[in-house]
Amino acid sequence: MFEDIFRRQKVIPGKLETYGFQEVLGTYRYDADVLNGEFHLEVSIGKNAVPDTRLMEAATGEEYVLYKTDAAGKYVGEIRTAVAAVLQDIADRCYELTIFKAEQSVKLIAYIREKYGDELEYLWGKFPGNAVWRRRDNRKWYGILLTVSRRKLGIRSDEMVEIIDLRSQPEKLENLIDNERYYPGWHMNKKHWYTIILDGSVPLEEICRRIDESYLLAK
């Protein structure tokens, strides 16, 4: 019934406990009251990371199941909406989109999350393969993750690849850009941005160091 909320989403385990989930034998559980306390909602997240829900009537303690069926009506619709609101908030705060799958992309997302506490922001609904990292203090971008064709970078291939755009000082870009490992910033001001293809051509440690530089330049 609520699968679409979590479609293409991946749970971030560390965020579940912060949200209020409690872990018992590998399953995370969260309790909430809905509809002004008329119902008690139990949300459980197991190995498949897709939440399961149980709704109990506060007055009787009996389980209410109509919200999981195709039953129609204003009241059951209000209950579905209330449950969906709780699940959507959990998805927004404890899950991330699994758009980027390249090994380096996954590791860089984890690196930035651990070091800066920042999550990717998907700003363009029509372009789900594009996302940015922004500093919290001034909201300036310091990294952009995108999915593009190699041909967009001047390479004779239509293979789709994941790339990262980072900031640099203009005086350093001339010596950095070689069109083999480092490319002019895709879709960005080429005086201040450059692009790396996340295919292993540049070692992960080097990219992390350059992310740190870009973060400082965004200040």
Side-chain angles (χ1 to χ4, degrees), residues 149-165:
S149 164
R150 286 184 182 269
R151 197 172 297 277
K152 298 288 188 180
L153 302 177
I155 303 170
R156 293 184 178 181
S157 170
D158 291 321
E159 179 190 8
M160 300 300 291
V161 291
E162 294 171 18
I163 64 173
I164 187 171
D165 282 355

Side-chain angles (χ1 to χ4, degrees), residues 25-137:
L25 299 176
T27 297
Y28 289 88
R29 176 173 162 173
Y30 175 76
D31 298 326
D33 292 329
V34 297
L35 284 186
N36 296 318
E38 288 186 42
F39 293 90
H40 182 73
L41 177 66
E42 300 174 359
V43 182
S44 300
I45 300 177
K47 293 182 178 180
N48 65 0
V50 177
D52 184 30
T53 62
R54 292 183 70 227
L55 195 63
M56 314 299 291
E57 293 187 42
T60 65
E62 296 181 356
E63 184 173 4
Y64 183 89
V65 297
L66 287 181
Y67 76 106
K68 289 185 175 182
T69 72
D70 293 329
K74 181 179 179 180
Y75 187 60
V76 70
E78 290 177 351
I79 295 172
R80 277 197 205 101
T81 299
V83 172
V86 174
L87 295 178
Q88 185 64 62
D89 190 58
I90 292 171
D92 291 342
R93 295 169 60 182
C94 302
Y95 284 69
E96 64 180 342
L97 286 170
T98 55
I99 298 295
F100 302 102
K101 299 181 180 179
E103 181 179 356
Q104 284 193 327
S105 298
V106 173
K107 290 181 177 180
L108 292 176
I109 291 170
Y111 172 78
I112 290 176
R113 175 182 298 130
E114 180 177 353
K115 183 160 187 177
Y116 299 110
D118 294 332
E119 300 291 345
L120 280 169
E121 297 182 39
Y122 296 83
L123 304 180
W124 306 279
K126 293 183 179 180
F127 302 98
N130 300 345
V132 306
W133 286 288
R134 294 196 275 193
R135 289 183 62 113
R136 296 186 182 186
D137 51 2

Side-chain angles (χ1 to χ4, degrees), residues 163-214:
I163 64 173
I164 187 171
D165 282 355
L166 297 170
R167 291 176 179 267
S168 176
Q169 295 173 320
E171 59 270 21
K172 293 183 178 181
L173 278 181
E174 184 176 351
N175 294 326
L176 182 65
I177 303 300
D178 58 10
N179 290 301
E180 293 181 359
R181 299 169 72 242
Y182 295 94
Y183 299 83
W186 164 245
H187 231 345
M188 297 299 291
N189 185 325
K190 293 175 174 53
K191 292 182 179 181
H192 299 276
W193 293 81
Y194 61 92
T195 292
I196 300 172
I197 301 176
L198 299 176
D199 60 357
S201 56
V202 178
L204 184 71
E205 295 78 8
E206 185 172 339
I207 301 175
C208 290
R209 177 171 58 82
R210 295 195 179 280
I211 287 173
D212 295 339
E213 293 174 352
S214 184

